[in-house]
C-alpha cells in the first residue's frame, strides 16, 4: 500500500447513548439502559460495516462508557472522546432526556441526533427539543427519525433510518477530513466561469480549510525546465497509450491534427498531470537541485480548483 500523505489521524465517530436520568421507585433509567445502549451498538456496527476513510479502511467508532443522563456523564463522555480524536458525534435515544444536561456542547464536533420512533417512550420529543436547543445555541445538528413506529424491543434499524444515518456519516467524515487541510487553486477564473472563482471565506469559515493559489505558468515552467519525475512520466505515458484509445475526430479535415501532433498532445497532457500531482502532494523524486519550492501538497483533485486533502511529511 502507498505511504499515507495524511498529517494527523482520520476523524473518529463517537456514539452518545442518552437516557432519561430519573431513578428511584419508578426505575425509569434502569428500564431503558439496555435498549439505549443497544441503539448505540447498532449504530456503531452500521457505520463500521458501511463507511470507509479515503484510504479504504473502515471508519473508527467509539461508544461512551455509559449512558448519559446527567451533566457529569456528558462531561465524562466528552473527555473520552477528546482522547479518542472524536470529531463527529451521534447522540441516540429511545426516550425523553434532559437536553440541556445531555446534549453535545462541543462547538467543534459535527453532530447528529437519532431519536427512536416508538410509542412506549417519547424519543421524538427529545429529538425535537434537543434540536431546538442546538439551534438556539448556534450548534448545527442533523436530526434522524424513522417513518414507521417500532416496538420497544425491536433492535432492527429501519431502511429509511439506515439511509439517514449513513448519509450523515459520509458527509461528516468528508467534512471532518477536510478540516485543517488546504485547497490548491491553479490559475484563476476559468473561461469567465463565475463558479470557478475561489472564495476563501467559504473554505476558511465553513469547511475549516485554507486556500493556496498558483499561476498556470508554473506548469509550463516545470515542463520547460524538466522539473518532474521522468520515470513516473514514462510510466504514466505508457499506461495512457495502452488504456486511452483516441475517439472519432469530428473536426473538419483541414484543421485535424496529424498523428504526430496528437502524440505530442498526449505527452503534454500526461506531463501536465504529473506536474499537477506534484503540486498537490509534493515529490521526493524531482531532479537533483529541484527541491519543491512551494511546499504544496495536500491530496486529491477537483475542478475548477484543485482540492488537496493530505500533506507529505
Amino acid at each position: 500500500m502507498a505511504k499515507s500523505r495524511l498529517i494527523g489521524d482520520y476523524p473518529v465517530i463517537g456514539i452518545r447513548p442518552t437516557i432519561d436520568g430519573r431513578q428511584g421507585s419508578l426505575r425509569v433509567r434502569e428500564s431503558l439502559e439496555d435498549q439505549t445502549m443497544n441503539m448505540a451498538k447498532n449504530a456503531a456496527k452500521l457505520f463500521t460495516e458501511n463507511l470507509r476513510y479515503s484510504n479504504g479502511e473502515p471508519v473508527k467508532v467509539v461508544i461512551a462508557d455509559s449512558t448519559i443522563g446527567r451533566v457529569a456523564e456528558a462531561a465524562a463522555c466528552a473527555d473520552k472522546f477528546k482522547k479518542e480524536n472524536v470529531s463527529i458525534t451521534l447522540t441516540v435515544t429511545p426516550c425523553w432526556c434532559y437536553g440541556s444536561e445531555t446534549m453535545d456542547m462541543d462547538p467543534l464536533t459535527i453532530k447528529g441526533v437519532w431519536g427512536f420512533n416508538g410509542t412506549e417512550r417519547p424519543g421524538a420529543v427529545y429529538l425535537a427539543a434537543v434540536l431546538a436547543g442546538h439551534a438556539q445555541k448556534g450548534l448545527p445538528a442533523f436530526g434522524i427519525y424513522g417513518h414507521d413506529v417500532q416496538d420497544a424491543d425491536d433492535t432492527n434499524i429501519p431502511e429509511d433510518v439506515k439511509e439517514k444515518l449513513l448519509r450523515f456519516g459520509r458527509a461528516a467524515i468528508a467534512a471532518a477530513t477536510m478540516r485543517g487541510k488546504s485547497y490548491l487553486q491553479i490559475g484563476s477564473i476559468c473561461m469567465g466561469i463565475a463558479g470557478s472563482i475561489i472564495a476563501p471565506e467559504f473554505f476558511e469559515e465553513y469547511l475549516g480549510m485554507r486556500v493556496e493559489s498558483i499561476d498556470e505558468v508554473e506548469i509550463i515552467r516545470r515542463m520547460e525546465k524538466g522539473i518532474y519525475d521522468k520515470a513516473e512520466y514514462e510510466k504514466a505515458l505508457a499506461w495512457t497509450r495502452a488504456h486511452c484509445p483516441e475517439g472519432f475526430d469530428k473536426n473538419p479535415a483541414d484543421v485535424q491534427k496529424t498523428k504526430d501532433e496528437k502524440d505530442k498532445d498526449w505527452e503534454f497532457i500526461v506531463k501536465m498531470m504529473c506536474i499537477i500531482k506534484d503540486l498537490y502532494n509534493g515529490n521526493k523524486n524531482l531532479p537533483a537541485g529541484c527541491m519543491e519550492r512551494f511546499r504544496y501538497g495536500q491530496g486529491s483533485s477537483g475542478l475548477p480548483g484543485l482540492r488537496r486533502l493530505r500533506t507529505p511529511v
Side-chain angles (χ1 to χ4, degrees):
M1 180 180 293
K3 181 180 179 181
S4 175
R5 298 184 300 271
L6 181 71
I7 289 182
D9 300 318
Y10 280 104
V12 177
I13 300 177
I15 311 293
R16 308 176 70 257
T18 56
I19 199 168
D20 190 329
R22 290 176 290 183
Q23 295 174 285
S25 59
L26 294 178
R27 299 182 62 80
V28 176
R29 178 167 187 161
E30 293 86 344
S31 69
L32 292 165
E33 287 283 358
D34 289 343
Q35 183 184 8
T36 305
M37 191 56 77
N38 283 336
M39 280 186 69
K41 293 176 180 177
N42 289 339
K45 184 173 183 290
L46 180 71
F47 285 152
T48 55
E49 290 181 351
N50 292 276
L51 300 182
R52 296 288 184 271
Y53 294 124
S54 59
N55 66 353
E57 295 180 0
V59 299
K60 181 180 179 182
V61 182
V62 298
I63 302 175
D65 292 332
S66 69
T67 54
I68 302 168
R70 299 183 177 89
V71 172
E73 291 157 345
C77 173
D79 183 63
K80 175 180 180 176
F81 285 2
K82 183 177 180 180
K83 295 174 182 176
E84 295 280 355
N85 192 39
V86 169
S87 52
I88 302 159
T89 64
L90 176 69
T91 298
V92 303
T93 190
C95 59
W96 167 252
C97 315
Y98 293 93
S100 61
E101 298 187 15
T102 61
M103 66 188 293
D104 176 9
M105 294 282 287
D106 187 338
L108 298 180
T109 56
I110 300 171
K111 304 167 183 59
V113 184
W114 173 24
F116 183 80
N117 184 0
T119 57
E120 289 81 7
R121 295 287 179 181
V125 177
Y126 174 73
L127 175 63
V130 82
L131 288 178
H134 279 90
Q136 185 179 26
K137 297 177 185 298
L139 301 172
F142 187 88
I144 299 167
Y145 190 66
H147 178 272
D148 298 322
V149 177
Q150 295 178 256
D151 293 329
D153 59 354
D154 185 354
T155 59
N156 294 312
I157 303 179
E159 290 303 316
D160 64 324
V161 175
K162 284 183 181 179
E163 180 183 352
K164 294 173 184 177
L165 286 170
L166 293 176
R167 188 186 303 162
F168 163 73
R170 291 190 190 99
I173 287 291
T177 302
M178 287 189 287
R179 184 182 291 164
K181 308 306 186 297
S182 62
Y183 185 108
L184 174 61
Q185 173 187 230
I186 297 180
S188 184
I189 302 172
C190 180
M191 296 176 64
I193 301 172
S196 67
I197 301 173
I198 300 303
E201 296 79 12
F202 167 75
F203 288 90
E204 294 170 7
E205 299 172 11
Y206 193 80
L207 298 177
M209 300 176 71
R210 73 173 72 227
V211 174
E212 301 174 60
S213 299
I214 188 171
D215 197 280
E216 290 168 307
V217 72
E218 175 62 14
I219 298 173
I220 301 300
R221 186 188 76 87
R222 294 192 182 206
M223 286 186 182
E224 293 176 347
K225 300 291 186 181
I227 306 175
Y228 54 89
D229 186 336
K230 306 297 192 301
E232 184 179 50
Y233 163 68
E234 294 296 340
K235 180 180 178 181
L237 184 61
W239 185 94
T240 302
R241 286 172 172 164
H243 298 281
C244 299
E246 293 177 11
F248 170 69
D249 189 346
K250 65 178 181 180
N251 292 303
D254 59 328
V255 296
Q256 286 186 6
K257 292 188 176 183
T258 66
K259 182 66 170 63
D260 288 343
E261 288 174 326
K262 290 180 179 179
D263 287 343
K264 290 205 176 291
D265 283 347
W266 278 115
E267 292 172 6
F268 182 94
I269 291 168
V270 172
K271 199 173 293 183
M272 179 173 62
M273 180 277 298
C274 291
I275 290 171
I276 291 176
K277 183 171 175 287
D278 292 345
L279 290 171
Y280 298 158
N281 306 323
N283 192 331
K284 295 180 179 180
N285 299 317
L286 295 179
C290 298
M291 299 296 292
E292 183 59 72
R293 63 189 290 186
F294 294 102
R295 301 303 301 162
Y296 288 144
Q298 289 201 10
S300 58
S301 65
L303 295 175
L306 300 171
R307 288 181 300 169
R308 305 180 308 130
L309 302 184
R310 309 170 207 170
T311 305
V313 177

